[in-house]
């Protein structure tokens, strides 16, 4: 159904006007320039009989023929009525350009709710409101009020900011960047990016889907759709509002709420979307991905200037791309060419002419270990850029090559030639490397085998009972000692434990568990128990009562006695390495699972990895491998390897718990003590925040 | 006819709530219930009439049909020091006795509410022990369990009341201390001639505040008016980053977020979590229109106040400490709690 937005057979422009400078006038003019002559265009405005030489109707209901697409630019207050008329007329695709909805305040929000209600009633596909409109360069449709139309290309651009879309369209003409489709999403009242990504995946004119987003409301759907789409087409996303200040600004701009940066990153990583952190990145990545989809092998640098070659080498090393190691034959040929350095980067020297540079490119491109080439040229006297450009263009069909022709006037003509061939030239070698890195990321994620989530058999009813029991207590939001039972039921090993409310009970429990024991406060108000002296380790029998009173004494300085549930008496677990497994329910993407090295410095080092549940076994392994502390778990300086399989198991079980019980909003298993391979791990402590989701 | 004086060790212990619940329960069981508050200290003007706020609320629920002048025979209508110097204790006592006689005439039971706390009115012979003695009433002491030392307070009160102090009820007892209750009942109260009637847990709903009360107390401007007058159980101060705030937003329920009007990030986040039922914006900073639109859509009230966050928190804190049992939800809840946690048979009235 979305196809009618881009390839309509008939369009009604509601709010068309003969008054120059008005949105309704520019919009109609843009639409009238539609190349497809067979398309019927109707102006709608009760004040006029004719606008720009076409008949004008009082409302869409008076149009005799059927209409596929309505583009609405009337005052916000009139939009609901127009929408109803579209519904009655059987128009299913509507773009509401008009502003004055939720972005404008309370009355606007009420109006927007009405638009949603009317759209649901009539089954309308609605883009906007408060948007720039839609463009399909290949059919010549420009249903926006922008002054320019971009050139044809194979990049589809979705933007949550209309003004940014306008700026990009204007810039793209100068930069010679072409687009296949442009969609300004506006307030995303009905349609959001997800529907369009699905549509564009099947669009033959689109090679890369590029987006600027401030929020993603249907996080789970976004991941599923993008994961599917990226098997065949790259998706590049720039998500703003990632810092505190940015989130605040985005919140004021669109009313979006700040999701966690980690959740967005994990979502992009798991779905295979390539994340761009700047406008340069967004279009560098998109343009490069529109012509290069694989980098299989190392990167070769061919340059006539040492400095920029070193810059590129640094960037390649830092990005993890890796410089190609040439085979003997390549090096011998390069030596015969009399280059300064026949290892990678290849320095043809400042006195080299374009032919020598071209020969070096040819030799390097024939090497099987080379996945892509960065061709760097400074404007030295012997270089003829036109000729050098020919060599680059010749090679584009055989091996991915990115030109970094550095200069201004000297290179201008060649750069224009590159643009015509859809090739971007970079002044900065680092940008070229970043673009190649995006290609590598894309090809890796595309080729990754998508494993299904891992599930265990557990007694879910037992947990339900526990949660219900907890719900009847006064401290509902935080799971007390019962949380250990939850972990046990999910097959996560925990030490023997019990909760004591009196000193006598504490002694009785400790006798049962066996000495020494650990003793910890149980209170929803005391999260960092060690910080306030509410954890006692290696407690012997004769110390139990004294420690019981001391912990309570310290705790009561920190919180009210009525918020203290008692004291946890626990089997003392010695040794092992400490890791942490956490779960935080993100508002957009659902459960976000975290893994990292544990202990009190976890918040300082932030050596943690994130994935969105449900996890596959491969996800869990990847999470563990991607933290720096993985080397410690593997064992350093003769230490035995830790039981990593048991940690994979815990990650998968926490993932399943988070999927099974939406009531659990947050959970931290910290620390988990992991022992050497084959000896398992124990969740020593935990924190669980419960919600009221049913 | 049996009557019971409900007294307390300190103010805001829950006497009125208990009386409302007891009154409703006893009436359901077929008893004709009366209500009497001999010495009214918390007076205020409602419709130009000087009334005791607590008594006014209780009467509006129990509706015992008695003359309000009899229900509240002595009202503190001037500073207490002036009252002590000018009023005649003998005539006051007579007024109390006469009113009580009229109130109790056709009742099966009269629930008598003590003054602010049991010692108040002692200078004029109007303290709870004095009233208990002059009207020959058995007393029930409502004890808010603020610390273990309330036990000493009970003993001191017992010295003034004598044997008339028969029952003790612990209110707002929660957490690990509950495990000690049996020992307190057995070893402490019984040994001192008193009986434990039961314990009422701390209940956030009862301790909560209606959003209308909050707006009124802070003299704020309603940017978004509430769809319904929800109860606010706790408040949160929003000064952190959204990811950090989310942790706190999730732990609360029925909460008010107090934050600056310029913190659109926190305001929008709060609107999404479902636990924040009211936004209290400080510093007279108008929030963005998008947020107000969303709040309107979700039916979450937004109050704008001129005070800074610190002053607002202080004011809110004060209002929270003085909540009254108003509204159907609270009345229903206190009645449920009393039915569940208190053995009325031990009071003797149901025997």
């Amino acid at each position: 159904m979305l196809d009618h937005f881009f390839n309509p057979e008939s369009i009604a422009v509601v709010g068309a006007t003969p008054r120059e400078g008005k949105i309704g006038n520019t919009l109609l003019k843009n639409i009238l320039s539609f190349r497809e002559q067979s398309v019927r265009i109707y102006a709608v405005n009760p004040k006029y009989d004719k606008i720009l030489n076409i008949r004008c109707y009082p409302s869409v209901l008076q149009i005799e023929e059927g209409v596929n697409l309505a583009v609405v630019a009337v005052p916000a207050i009139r939009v609901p009525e127009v929408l109803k008329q579209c519904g009655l007329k059987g128009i299913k695709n509507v773009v509401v350009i008009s502003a004055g909805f939720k972005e404008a305040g309370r009355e606007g929000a009420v109006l927007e709710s009405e638009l949603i209600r009317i759209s649901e009633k009539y089954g309308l596909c609605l883009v906007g409101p408060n948007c720039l409109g839609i463009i399909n360069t290949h059919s010549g449709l420009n249903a926006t009020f922008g002054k320019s139309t971009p050139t044809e290309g194979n990049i589809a651009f979705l933007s949550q900011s209309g003004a940014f879309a306008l700026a990009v369209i204007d810039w793209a003409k100068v930069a010679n960047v072409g687009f296949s489709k442009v969609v300004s999403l506006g307030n995303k009242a009905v349609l959001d990016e997800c529907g369009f990504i699905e549509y564009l995946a099947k669009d033959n004119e689109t090679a890369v889907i590029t987006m600027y987003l401030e929020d993603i409301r249907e996080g789970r759907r976004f991941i599923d759709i993008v994961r599917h789409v990226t098997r065949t087409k790259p998706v590049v996303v720039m998500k703003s509002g990632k810092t505190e200040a940015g989130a605040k600004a985005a919140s004021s701009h669109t009313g979006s709420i700040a999701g966690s940066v980690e959740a967005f990153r994990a979502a992009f990583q798991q779905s295979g979307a390539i994340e761009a952190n700047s406008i340069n990145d967004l279009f560098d990545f998109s343009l490069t991905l529109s012509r290069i989809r694989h980098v299989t092998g190392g990167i070769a640098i061919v340059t006539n200037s040492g400095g920029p070659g070193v810059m590129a080498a640094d960037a390649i090393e830092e990005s993890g791309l890796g410089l190609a190691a040439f085979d003997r034959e390549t090096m011998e040929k390069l030596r015969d060419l009399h280059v300064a350095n026949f290892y990678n980067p290849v320095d043809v020297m400042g006195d080299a002419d374009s032919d020598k540079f071209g020969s070096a490119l040819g030799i390097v491109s024939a090497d099987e270990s080379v996945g892509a080439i960065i061709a760097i040229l400074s404007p030295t006297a012997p270089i003829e850029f036109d000729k050098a450009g020919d060599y680059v263009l010749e090679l584009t069909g055989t091996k991915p090559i990115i030109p970094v022709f550095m200069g201004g006037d000297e290179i201008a003509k060649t750069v224009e030639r590159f643009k015509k061939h859809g090739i971007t030239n970079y002044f900065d070698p680092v940008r070229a490397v970043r673009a190649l890195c995006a290609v590598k990321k894309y090809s890796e994620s595309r080729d990754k085998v998508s494993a299904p989530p891992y599930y265990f058999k557990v007694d879910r009813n037992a947990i339900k009972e526990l949660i219900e029991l907890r719900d009847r207590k006064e401290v509902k939001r935080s799971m007390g000692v019962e949380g250990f039972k939850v972990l046990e039921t999910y097959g996560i090993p925990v030490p023997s434990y019990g909760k004591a409310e009196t000193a006598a009970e504490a002694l009785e429990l400790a006798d049962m568990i066996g000495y020494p024991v650990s003793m910890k406060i149980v209170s929803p108000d005391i999260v960092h128990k060690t910080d306030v002296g509410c954890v006692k380790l290696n407690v012997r029998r004769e110390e139990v009562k004294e420690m019981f009173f001391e912990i309570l004494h310290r705790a009561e300085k920190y919180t009210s006695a009525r918020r203290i549930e008692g004291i946890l008496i626990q089997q003392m677990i010695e040794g092992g390495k400490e890791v942490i497994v956490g779960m935080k329910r993100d508002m957009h993407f659902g459960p976000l699972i975290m893994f990292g090295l544990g202990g009190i410095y976890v918040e300082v080092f932030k050596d943690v990895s994130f994935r969105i549940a449900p996890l596959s076994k491969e996800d869990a392994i990847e999470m563990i491998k991607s933290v720096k502390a993985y080397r410690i778990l593997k064992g350093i300086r003769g230490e035995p390897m830790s039981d990593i399989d048991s940690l994979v198991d815990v990650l998968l079980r926490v993932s399943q718990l988070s999927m099974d019980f939406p009531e659990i909003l947050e959970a931290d298993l910290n620390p988990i003590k992991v022992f050497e391979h084959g000896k398992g791990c124990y969740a020593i402590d935990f924190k669980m925040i419960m919600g009221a989701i049913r | 006819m049996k009557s019971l004086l409900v007294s307390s060790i300190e103010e805001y212990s829950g006497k009125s709530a208990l009386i409302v619940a007891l009154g409703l329960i006893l009436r359901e069981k077929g008893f004709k219930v009366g209500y009497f508050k001999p010495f009214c200290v918390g007076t205020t003007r409602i419709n130009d009439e000087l009334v005791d706020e607590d008594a006014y609320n209780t009467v509006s629920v129990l509706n015992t049909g008695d003359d309000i002048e009899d229900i509240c025979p002595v009202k503190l209508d001037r500073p207490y020091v002036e009252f002590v110097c000018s009023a005649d204790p003998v005539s006051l006592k007579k007024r109390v006795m006469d009113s009580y006689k009229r109130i109790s005439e056709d009742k099966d039971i009269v629930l008598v509410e003590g003054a602010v706390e049991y010692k108040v009115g002692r200078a004029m012979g109007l303290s709870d022990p004095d009233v208990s003695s002059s009207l020959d009433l058995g007393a029930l002491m409502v004890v808010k369990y603020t610390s273990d030392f309330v036990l000493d307070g009970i003993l001191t009160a017992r010295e003034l009341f004598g044997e008339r102090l028969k029952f003790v009820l612990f209110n707002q007892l929660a957490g690990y201390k509950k495990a000690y209750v049996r020992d307190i009942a057995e070893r402490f109260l019984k040994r001192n001639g008193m009986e434990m009637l039961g314990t009422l847990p701390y209940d956030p709903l009862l301790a909560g505040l209606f959003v209308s009360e909050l707006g009124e107390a802070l003299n704020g401007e309603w940017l978004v008016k509430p769809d319904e007058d929800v109860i606010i159980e706790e408040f949160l101060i929003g000064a952190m980053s959204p990811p950090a705030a989310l942790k706190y937003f999730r732990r609360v329920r029925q909460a008010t977020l107090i934050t600056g009007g310029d913190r659109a990030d926190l305001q929008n986040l709060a609107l999404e979590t479902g636990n924040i039922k009211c936004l209290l914006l400080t510093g007279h900073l108008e929030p963005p229109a998008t947020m107000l639109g969303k709040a309107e859509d979700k039916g979450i009230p937004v109050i704008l106040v001129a005070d800074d966050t610190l002053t607002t928190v202080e004011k809110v804190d004060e209002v929270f400490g003085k909540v009254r049992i108003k509204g159907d939800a609270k009345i229903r809840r206190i009645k449920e709690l009393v039915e569940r946690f208190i053995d009325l048979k031990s009071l003797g009235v149901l025997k």
Side-chain angles (χ1 to χ4, degrees):
Chain A
M1 200 141 108
L2 296 192
D3 193 52
H4 279 145
F5 279 119
F6 304 103
N7 298 300
E9 286 149 16
S10 50
I11 312 169
V13 182
V14 186
T17 171
R19 288 192 290 161
E20 286 287 332
K22 294 283 172 190
I23 286 178
N25 183 265
T26 315
L27 187 63
L28 184 61
K29 278 182 186 161
N30 282 345
I31 290 176
L32 283 172
S33 66
F34 203 173
R35 280 203 305 271
E36 303 285 338
Q37 295 304 317
S38 60
V39 172
R40 300 182 305 275
I41 297 163
Y42 308 98
V44 177
N45 190 332
K47 289 185 198 161
Y48 305 98
D49 297 325
K50 216 168 196 184
I51 301 172
L52 299 175
N53 291 326
I54 63 165
R55 186 178 158 192
C56 186
Y57 295 82
S59 85
V60 290
L61 293 171
Q62 277 75 41
I63 301 172
E64 297 84 2
E65 296 89 359
V67 177
N68 297 138
L69 172 65
V71 188
V72 181
V74 298
I77 193 76
R78 285 189 47 219
V79 175
E81 185 53 33
V82 169
L83 216 53
K84 267 184 225 160
Q85 290 167 351
C86 289
L88 291 170
K89 175 74 184 162
I91 304 171
K92 294 293 179 195
N93 294 53
V94 183
V95 178
V96 179
I97 305 252
S98 319
F101 291 88
K102 75 168 190 193
E103 81 285 358
R106 279 171 283 181
E107 291 79 12
V110 174
L111 271 181
E112 191 161 319
S113 302
E114 214 180 328
L115 298 196
I116 297 168
R117 198 181 48 74
I118 298 167
S119 300
E120 277 167 4
K121 186 178 171 188
Y122 294 101
L124 305 182
C125 293
L126 183 143
V127 175
N130 183 30
C131 71
L132 170 70
I134 276 182
I135 293 173
N136 176 6
T137 56
H138 290 268
S139 68
L141 171 70
N142 181 354
T144 73
F145 58 92
K147 284 179 187 159
S148 37
T149 303
T151 51
E152 278 183 39
N154 58 4
I155 295 171
F157 179 47
L158 310 179
S159 176
Q160 200 173 338
S161 162
F164 178 53
L166 270 176
V168 166
I169 291 168
D170 198 38
W171 160 83
K173 284 187 92 168
V174 181
N176 208 12
V177 173
F179 291 109
S180 55
K181 314 272 185 303
V182 177
V183 180
S184 162
L185 296 164
N187 291 4
K188 304 200 282 194
V190 176
L191 289 176
D192 62 13
E193 57 283 346
C194 289
F196 285 104
I197 298 169
E198 263 181 329
Y199 172 83
L200 293 166
K202 293 178 200 138
D203 179 31
N204 292 332
E205 286 148 2
T206 297
V208 178
I209 303 167
T210 301
M211 290 180 276
Y212 167 76
L213 298 176
E214 288 181 11
D215 66 5
I216 296 172
R217 283 173 221 163
E218 300 174 283
R220 172 67 49 193
R221 190 168 164 232
F222 178 89
I223 293 177
D224 292 343
I225 291 173
V226 174
R227 185 159 23 209
H228 182 69
V229 171
T230 50
R231 296 276 166 222
T232 50
K233 255 176 215 182
V235 173
V236 185
V237 190
M238 181 179 172
K239 156 75 180 76
S240 64
K242 286 188 285 200
T243 63
E244 198 176 319
K248 220 167 137 182
S251 214
S252 294
H253 179 207
T254 58
S256 63
I257 55 162
S260 82
V261 182
E262 294 85 5
F264 280 110
R265 294 248 155 88
F268 295 154
Q269 201 165 5
Q270 281 170 268
S271 63
I274 304 299
E275 188 186 1
N277 286 316
S278 65
I279 299 173
N280 275 344
D281 273 359
L282 187 67
F283 291 102
D284 285 355
F285 296 176
S286 302
L287 287 164
T288 307
L289 278 162
S290 70
R291 67 182 185 95
I292 305 173
R293 296 288 175 85
H294 306 268
V295 177
T296 44
I299 310 299
I301 302 168
V302 179
T303 177
N304 72 341
S305 49
V310 177
M311 289 178 212
D314 272 346
I316 287 170
E317 181 76 16
E318 276 168 16
S319 69
L321 274 174
L323 280 171
F326 300 144
D327 61 30
R328 180 166 292 278
E329 199 187 333
T330 305
M331 287 192 282
E332 276 167 9
K333 282 181 182 167
L334 287 169
R335 184 167 39 202
D336 293 345
L337 194 66
H338 301 292
V339 298
N341 183 26
F342 47 85
Y343 299 109
N344 197 4
V346 179
D347 188 352
V348 294
M349 291 192 290
D351 60 354
D353 61 11
S354 301
D355 290 329
K356 189 174 179 182
F357 180 71
S359 301
L361 286 178
I363 294 165
V364 164
S365 73
D367 191 313
E368 283 187 2
S369 68
V370 173
I373 304 165
I374 296 179
I376 305 172
L377 269 190
S378 288
T380 53
I383 286 291
E384 293 168 72
F385 278 104
D386 241 11
K387 212 170 187 185
D390 288 340
Y391 284 113
V392 168
L393 290 171
E394 261 172 40
L395 280 175
T396 48
T398 55
K399 198 140 261 180
I401 180 163
I402 298 193
V404 179
F405 286 9
M406 303 171 82
D409 285 346
E410 292 272 337
I411 63 163
K413 224 174 97 193
T414 314
V415 169
E416 282 309 309
R417 273 182 71 210
F418 285 154
K419 278 181 190 169
K420 280 184 188 132
H421 286 85
I423 296 172
T424 310
N425 178 70
Y426 295 97
F427 176 77
D428 180 356
V430 177
R431 272 175 71 180
V433 173
R434 287 176 61 81
L436 272 180
C437 198
V439 175
K440 189 162 185 230
K441 269 189 198 159
Y442 171 68
S443 61
E444 278 172 0
S445 75
R446 181 194 50 203
D447 300 339
K448 203 164 76 179
V449 180
S450 176
Y454 204 90
Y455 283 108
F456 302 90
K457 205 176 165 199
V458 289
D459 181 5
R460 293 182 56 192
N461 284 333
I463 309 285
K464 265 188 196 157
E465 279 169 26
L466 268 176
I467 291 175
E468 277 164 17
L469 188 74
R470 185 78 193 160
D471 255 7
R472 288 200 290 272
K473 290 192 175 182
E474 298 109 51
V475 193
K476 293 174 187 167
R477 291 293 193 218
S478 165
M479 187 61 103
V481 175
E482 301 92 328
F484 277 115
K485 186 76 195 159
V486 174
L487 301 184
E488 275 181 305
T489 309
Y490 266 75
I492 297 166
V494 298
S496 308
Y497 68 94
K499 186 180 79 176
E501 289 177 349
T502 66
E505 278 176 18
L507 196 61
E508 201 178 311
L509 271 170
D511 282 348
M512 273 166 55
I513 288 167
Y515 294 94
V517 292
S518 67
M519 295 173 70
K520 297 167 190 173
I521 196 75
V522 184
S523 166
D525 293 346
I526 306 178
V527 179
H528 300 293
K529 307 177 186 95
T530 312
D531 298 2
V532 288
C534 287
V535 175
K536 300 288 171 194
L537 303 176
N538 287 309
V539 180
R540 290 169 288 138
R541 190 174 199 280
E542 58 273 25
E543 296 169 324
V544 169
K545 281 194 171 180
E546 187 193 332
M547 292 301 155
F548 183 86
F549 298 134
E550 193 187 324
I551 293 173
L552 286 176
H553 177 68
R554 284 175 182 271
E556 280 181 42
K557 280 186 182 168
Y558 193 78
T559 186
S560 140
R562 68 180 166 78
R563 303 276 293 171
I564 296 169
E565 295 183 52
I567 292 198
L568 172 73
I569 313 291
Q570 205 178 33
Q571 176 195 356
M572 192 67 217
I573 302 285
E574 302 277 11
K577 284 172 184 159
E578 291 190 355
V579 296
I580 175 172
V581 170
M583 187 282 289
K584 188 165 69 169
R585 204 166 289 277
D586 184 81
M587 307 198 80
H588 306 283
F589 295 100
L592 180 68
I593 311 290
M594 184 262 275
F595 174 80
L597 192 68
I600 55 172
Y601 300 123
V602 63
E603 282 167 26
V604 178
F605 293 119
K606 291 195 166 73
D607 182 22
V608 287
S609 58
F610 294 92
R611 291 289 184 283
I612 288 159
L615 299 183
S616 66
K617 201 168 181 175
E618 288 66 26
D619 286 329
I621 294 168
E622 240 180 53
M623 283 181 80
I624 297 171
K625 283 187 173 170
S626 60
V627 296
K628 290 190 189 91
Y630 176 60
R631 284 180 57 203
I632 300 175
L633 294 174
K634 276 207 303 184
I636 45 172
R637 296 196 172 182
E639 274 184 338
M641 184 168 164
S642 296
D643 197 337
I644 289 169
D645 290 348
S646 71
L647 295 178
V648 170
D649 198 62
V650 170
L651 278 167
L652 293 172
R653 288 172 190 275
V654 170
S655 157
Q656 186 176 338
L657 175 66
S658 71
M659 294 304 289
D660 288 349
F661 290 94
E663 295 95 329
I664 304 174
L665 299 181
E666 286 183 23
D668 266 343
L669 280 60
N670 184 23
I672 292 173
K673 284 198 170 189
V674 56
F675 298 91
E676 63 186 82
H677 186 66
K679 294 192 174 167
C681 65
Y682 280 105
I684 306 292
D685 209 346
F686 76 94
K687 183 178 77 190
M688 228 177 254
I689 298 175
M690 310 299 295
I693 307 161
R694 286 277 158 204
Chain B
M1 205 275 308
K2 288 179 177 175
S3 292
L4 181 71
L5 171 70
V6 180
S7 181
S8 68
I9 300 280
E10 57 182 299
E11 60 181 330
Y12 298 106
S13 293
K15 296 189 291 288
S16 304
L18 180 69
I19 285 172
V20 165
L22 283 176
L24 290 174
I25 294 166
L26 292 169
R27 204 156 64 187
E28 265 176 23
K29 291 187 186 294
F31 291 91
K32 200 155 178 5
V33 180
Y35 169 64
F36 184 54
K37 185 162 185 181
F39 186 32
C40 297
V41 175
T43 50
T44 183
R45 288 208 171 267
I46 298 178
N47 300 331
D48 241 13
E49 207 179 326
L50 192 69
V51 292
D52 179 273
E53 231 182 315
D54 269 342
Y56 183 84
N57 280 334
T58 308
V59 167
S60 66
V61 180
L62 292 181
N63 216 357
T64 53
D66 295 306
D67 186 349
I68 192 74
E69 291 303 317
D70 276 338
I71 292 173
C72 302
V74 182
K75 282 180 280 202
L76 189 64
D77 56 357
R78 65 202 83 168
Y80 189 52
V81 64
E82 165 76 28
F83 187 72
V84 170
C85 295
S86 59
D88 168 28
V90 178
S91 67
L92 288 176
K93 186 176 173 183
K94 186 171 181 309
R95 206 192 301 170
V96 167
M97 291 182 77
D98 290 349
S99 287
Y100 177 69
K101 200 175 164 203
R102 281 193 289 276
I103 292 259
S104 59
E105 244 167 19
D106 57 342
K107 307 292 187 319
D108 298 319
I109 179 166
V110 179
L111 299 169
V112 181
E113 184 170 356
V116 182
E117 46 101 339
Y118 76 100
K119 300 186 293 297
V120 166
R122 187 77 175 153
M124 302 303 287
L126 289 171
S127 72
D128 295 354
D130 295 322
V131 170
S132 154
S133 161
S134 53
L135 301 180
D136 190 23
L137 302 174
L140 157 65
M141 186 62 82
V142 181
V143 181
K144 187 159 83 172
Y145 206 98
T146 47
S147 87
D148 296 346
F149 299 111
V150 294
L151 301 176
D152 298 327
I154 297 171
L155 271 194
T156 313
R158 166 86 181 170
E159 281 170 20
L160 275 186
F161 275 101
E163 286 187 359
R164 285 201 173 83
L165 179 53
K166 292 178 175 155
F167 306 104
V168 172
L169 181 140
F170 288 111
N171 196 9
Q172 300 192 7
L173 181 63
Y176 77 98
K177 301 265 181 185
K178 283 190 293 187
Y180 286 99
V181 161
R182 197 184 301 156
D183 279 358
I184 296 173
E186 287 294 323
R187 296 186 195 182
F188 171 75
L189 293 179
K190 228 173 213 175
R191 204 169 56 204
N192 288 289
M194 289 169 282
E195 197 178 322
M196 192 169 81
L197 199 60
T199 61
L200 288 180
Y202 173 82
D203 190 277
L205 181 97
L206 293 180
L209 202 64
F210 282 99
V211 78
S212 59
E213 291 178 292
L214 193 63
E216 201 179 310
L218 297 169
N219 197 21
E221 179 190 345
W222 292 100
L223 296 183
V224 176
K225 284 190 175 156
D227 285 348
E228 56 170 327
D229 202 3
V230 290
I231 292 175
I232 300 299
E233 295 180 5
E234 51 194 316
F235 63 89
L236 272 173
I237 304 155
M240 60 292 267
S241 67
L246 187 60
K247 258 186 202 312
Y248 293 95
F249 288 3
R250 280 176 165 169
R251 275 188 209 157
V252 296
R253 58 173 214 175
Q254 297 289 123
T256 282
L257 173 71
I258 305 174
T259 192
D262 56 343
R263 291 299 305 265
D265 51 345
L266 292 182
Q267 294 155 15
N268 280 310
L269 184 69
L271 292 178
E272 294 297 330
T273 48
N275 302 337
I276 312 281
K277 302 294 181 191
C278 173
L279 298 183
L280 187 47
L281 309 182
T282 59
H284 221 285
L285 295 166
E286 279 272 351
T290 46
M291 190 285 289
L292 289 176
K294 206 189 275 184
E296 185 96 41
D297 202 32
K298 289 180 181 284
I300 293 179
V302 182
I303 308 170
L304 182 66
V305 294
D307 291 320
D308 60 29
T309 301
L310 186 66
T311 314
T312 308
V313 168
E314 279 170 1
K315 283 185 178 174
V316 172
D317 213 10
E318 203 185 318
V319 191
F320 259 103
K322 295 176 179 174
V323 292
R324 290 199 155 78
I325 302 298
K326 280 183 187 171
D328 289 347
K330 283 189 174 186
I331 291 168
R332 232 179 1 253
R333 175 66 62 88
I334 183 67
K335 190 167 160 264
E336 276 166 21
L337 291 179
V338 170
E339 279 170 334
R340 195 164 143 211
F341 292 102
I342 293 180
D343 179 15
L344 292 178
K345 282 189 183 135
S346 45
L347 268 178
V349 291
L350 297 183
K351 279 178 188 166

